Amino acid sequence: MQDLVRDWGPLWGVLGGTGQILAIMVMLLLTLAFILLFDRKVWAAVMMRKGPNVVGPFGLLQSFADFLKFVVKEIVIPAGANKTVFILAPLITITLAFVAYAVVPFAPGWVISDMNVGILYLLAMSSLGVYGIIMGGWASNSKYPFLGSLRSAAQMVSYEVSIGFVLITVLLVVGSLNLTDIVDHQKAGIWDWHAFSFIGALVHPQEGAGIVGTVYAFVVGLVMFMMLGIFFVSALAETNRPPFDLPEAESELVAGYQVEYSSTPYLLFMIGEYLAIVLMCAMISILFLGGWNAPWGPIDNPWVGFLILYIKIWLVFFMFAMVKAIVPRYRYDQLMRIGWKIFLPTTLVAVAVVGGHVAYFGR
Amino acid sequence: MIAVAAFYILSAIAIAAAFMVVVARNPVHSVLFLILTFFTASGLFVLLGAEFLAMLLIVVYVGAVAVLFLFVVMMLDIDFAELKAGFFTYLPFGGLIALILFGQFAMVGGAWIEKSVTASAIAAPSPAAAAVSNAEAIGRILYTDYIFLFQAAGIILFIAMVGAIALTLRHRDGIRRQNVSAQVGRTRAAGVEMKDPKPGEGVVF
């Protein structure tokens, strides 16, 4: 967007930038409509049901029908609620979910803000997501939402720590906080994607590293593969997806912080949640699975690159949907134990291992 | 021009929000305005070109510290009338502190405008600020010249954390705890027993 302002002058630059933002928002919302349907279809298929199949061919328009239903319903605000905060909470959730996409590089050169600290920006925006939940739970002025929001906030804060450490291992390997640099670092081929860099360590060993260096690089590659797993599970917990959907566990907490929400405010919460999930899918694709790079090498054409990243996002989301369908819900103490007693120490050791490799053998 | 407009908008919001932190009746609203102040302050950092500091401000203060604030304030049983009552007794003291703070800021700002004072006091950035990215520049200073202070700060935080845990941790007797290794190590043989009940006999456990 900076370039637009420089090339086109302030007025047209700002308008052009706004156009880009709108295009990405529309693309995201359309994607979301079908990814919601896909989620339900996968869930149904695992349970040998048909899933939504009435609205449109194969139920393709189901999400749009749901959208209309949400929008035309009456907005109910509880009498004892703190009205401003009650309305503000879903707005904050959806705004934060959208602004996080500002730094996501969708294709070569296709990024709204190619900032130096993109990865930190993503971390910051996802850590802000907790406010929508706390505010919503508190403003409802009711016990179930409040308890639900507290559980949810504790969960999100816990898993941010391990997500932060996983991000640190990635940025140690790459040597940059810029997401475009991170994607470029994986451009040689599938064995150079961070998830599979243990293959790369053997396919083209670092020059002058010797046998020790090659073995160390292999170990770092394995550590990065493990980080992919930890990031995936942490992403599930961070976005309150099953099996970590304790904040909205139907059988225990009614619907967590969303109990008092109806109609459009609820819709905003739900869109924000799914946007965060798609963002996590995009982050997994970008950080570990090569972003817009094809398995055989770099891509120059932005349209092809975008298509590749898009397919990767859908594949990662398929994993999210399968986990939802297959894995039973965790108990709250198990959730906290995994976050603090397993993921945190493991990622801490991983940062030390990767850091050691960078310090002694370079990148 | 856009940067100037952004600066004025952000500063106006920051000042208004900071004012509301003090004035708001509801403590939760105060904390929310405090968060807004942090947020706009990080926006000002971005305008200064210090995007790394801006992101750290959000991750650390907004994402972690303010969440704890909010937790604590929300859990409090608040009597609004009592809160309001103390306002005028505390006003002179608070006003004094505000005045001293304002004086200090005015002095710093004045010195800044008087370039002759600051030119000698400010060290030239090394290496040149444009040559390295923000994060790298901070890292080079923090992990070389100030490594001992940095470590000392870390140790102080660590001691504070250990102290907080030591103060609140108590082991009570008679509490059933989860034994995770026993739960995970459970086998099918230990958990399931197959019975084959004959008609009219039932099962004896």
Side-chain angles (χ1 to χ4, degrees):
Chain A
M1 192 171 157
Q2 243 169 358
D3 298 338
L4 283 183
V5 172
R6 197 179 55 219
D7 297 344
W8 296 0
L11 176 66
W12 293 109
V14 169
L15 283 181
T18 315
Q20 284 182 350
I21 293 169
L22 278 179
I24 284 183
M25 279 179 72
V26 169
M27 185 271 292
L28 279 174
L29 285 175
L30 277 178
T31 305
L32 213 64
F34 291 107
I35 227 163
L36 265 164
L37 180 76
F38 181 64
D39 194 17
R40 294 169 71 174
K41 282 282 192 190
V42 169
W43 202 9
V46 171
M47 295 176 171
M48 300 179 78
R49 291 186 285 118
K50 277 185 177 168
N53 64 348
V54 175
V55 190
F58 310 107
L60 276 176
L61 302 176
Q62 179 67 41
S63 299
F64 299 96
D66 287 344
F67 171 77
L68 279 180
K69 197 184 84 176
F70 274 124
V71 170
V72 296
K73 278 198 171 182
E74 184 190 353
I75 300 176
V76 180
I77 298 178
N82 192 321
K83 216 174 257 176
T84 325
V85 183
F86 189 82
I87 297 291
L88 208 58
L91 292 178
I92 285 184
T93 304
I94 194 168
T95 312
L96 287 173
F98 270 121
V99 292
Y101 284 91
V103 294
V104 173
F106 287 102
W110 282 16
V111 51
I112 294 175
S113 170
D114 195 21
M115 62 165 79
N116 282 329
V117 290
I119 206 168
L120 264 182
Y121 175 85
L122 278 177
L123 191 65
M125 288 308 132
S126 74
S127 74
L128 287 181
V130 74
Y131 280 109
I133 291 172
I134 302 186
M135 286 165 70
W138 176 80
S140 301
N141 195 16
S142 163
K143 291 203 171 47
Y144 280 115
F146 190 53
L147 288 176
S149 75
L150 287 186
R151 283 161 76 119
S152 175
Q155 177 179 333
M156 289 176 80
V157 171
S158 306
Y159 278 85
E160 242 151 50
V161 183
S162 54
I163 283 190
F165 277 122
V166 173
L167 293 182
I168 289 177
T169 60
V170 173
L171 67 91
L172 274 176
V173 167
V174 177
S176 168
L177 290 151
N178 184 312
L179 286 165
T180 308
D181 289 350
I182 290 172
V183 176
D184 276 341
H185 188 255
Q186 314 173 59
K187 66 183 169 194
I190 189 166
W191 56 83
D192 257 18
W193 295 359
H194 290 146
F196 309 117
S197 57
F198 56 91
I199 307 174
L202 301 181
V203 171
H204 52 84
Q206 200 181 2
E207 282 173 34
I211 185 81
V212 181
T214 308
V215 171
Y216 200 164
F218 179 70
V219 171
V220 167
L222 286 180
V223 166
M224 291 309 290
F225 185 68
M226 202 163 75
M227 288 301 106
L228 169 65
I230 290 184
F231 192 90
F232 182 74
V233 178
S234 301
L236 288 175
E238 175 82 7
T239 52
N240 298 331
R241 279 287 285 190
F244 305 111
D245 61 339
L246 291 151
E248 48 201 272
E250 294 105 69
S251 48
E252 296 152 37
L253 279 181
V254 202
Y257 59 94
Q258 302 164 339
V259 173
E260 305 289 351
Y261 282 91
S262 57
S263 174
T264 313
Y266 174 79
L267 176 71
L268 294 184
F269 263 133
M270 203 176 74
I271 292 180
E273 209 168 85
Y274 269 86
L275 276 177
I277 291 165
V278 175
L279 179 72
M280 282 295 172
C281 295
M283 274 177 82
I284 291 174
S285 313
I286 287 166
L287 296 177
F288 292 102
L289 302 177
W292 66 70
N293 292 312
W296 57 87
I299 294 290
D300 292 328
N301 186 338
W303 292 96
V304 178
F306 177 72
L307 190 68
I308 289 174
L309 179 66
Y310 200 68
I311 292 170
K312 283 178 186 171
I313 290 174
W314 275 78
L315 288 177
V316 177
F317 186 82
F318 175 68
M319 296 301 294
F320 270 64
M322 286 303 276
V323 169
K324 177 181 180 178
I326 292 170
V327 185
R329 187 178 296 135
Y330 267 59
R331 228 169 43 210
Y332 198 69
D333 65 301
Q334 291 172 329
L335 172 90
M336 284 294 156
R337 176 174 161 269
I338 292 181
W340 289 107
K341 293 188 180 172
I342 296 180
F343 282 179
L344 180 59
T346 314
T347 46
L348 210 53
V349 170
V351 168
V353 170
V354 176
H357 184 261
V358 173
Y360 289 108
F361 295 100
R363 295 200 168 84
Chain B
M1 190 194 82
I2 295 171
V4 174
F7 171 77
Y8 281 111
I9 293 170
L10 284 173
S11 331
I13 295 176
I15 291 171
F19 184 69
M20 287 306 290
V21 174
V22 185
V23 185
R25 293 272 167 82
N26 191 332
V28 174
H29 291 175
S30 283
V31 178
L32 291 177
F33 278 116
L34 182 68
I35 292 160
L36 184 60
T37 317
F38 283 149
F39 204 75
T40 41
S42 85
L44 290 174
F45 270 132
V46 171
L47 285 183
L48 282 173
E51 66 265 9
F52 184 71
L53 277 183
M55 292 309 142
L56 279 195
L57 187 72
I58 292 186
V59 172
V60 175
Y61 282 93
V62 183
V65 176
V67 171
L68 291 181
F69 270 16
L70 209 55
F71 263 18
V72 172
V73 172
M74 280 178 178
M75 300 296 238
L76 290 178
D77 187 21
I78 303 152
D79 186 355
F80 292 107
E82 196 183 321
L83 271 178
K84 266 194 299 181
F87 185 72
F88 285 102
T89 47
Y90 293 125
L91 189 60
F93 191 62
L96 186 69
I97 291 177
L99 211 65
I100 294 172
L101 255 181
F102 184 75
Q104 286 173 337
F105 273 120
M107 277 159 65
V108 173
W112 194 261
I113 294 165
E114 192 87 24
K115 282 282 197 273
S116 57
V117 183
T118 50
S120 59
I122 298 173
S126 83
V132 291
S133 78
N134 242 272
E136 206 176 334
I138 289 177
R140 282 189 187 182
I141 295 287
L142 206 59
Y143 293 105
T144 53
D145 295 355
Y146 297 104
I147 182 67
F148 292 116
L149 293 174
F150 182 68
Q151 294 284 355
I155 290 171
I156 291 171
L157 281 176
F158 182 63
I159 292 172
M161 195 175 79
V162 171
I165 292 173
L167 282 176
T168 51
L169 187 70
R170 16 170 213 160
H171 286 289
R172 282 175 293 182
D173 295 331
I175 289 181
R176 291 158 62 91
R177 291 186 183 282
Q178 306 281 354
N179 185 348
V180 174
S181 55
Q183 286 172 3
V184 174
R186 204 158 160 257
T187 59
R188 183 186 158 84
V192 183
E193 190 184 349
M194 296 301 284
K195 293 276 189 184
D196 190 14
K198 299 278 184 299
E201 289 180 13
V203 180
V204 181
F205 285 98

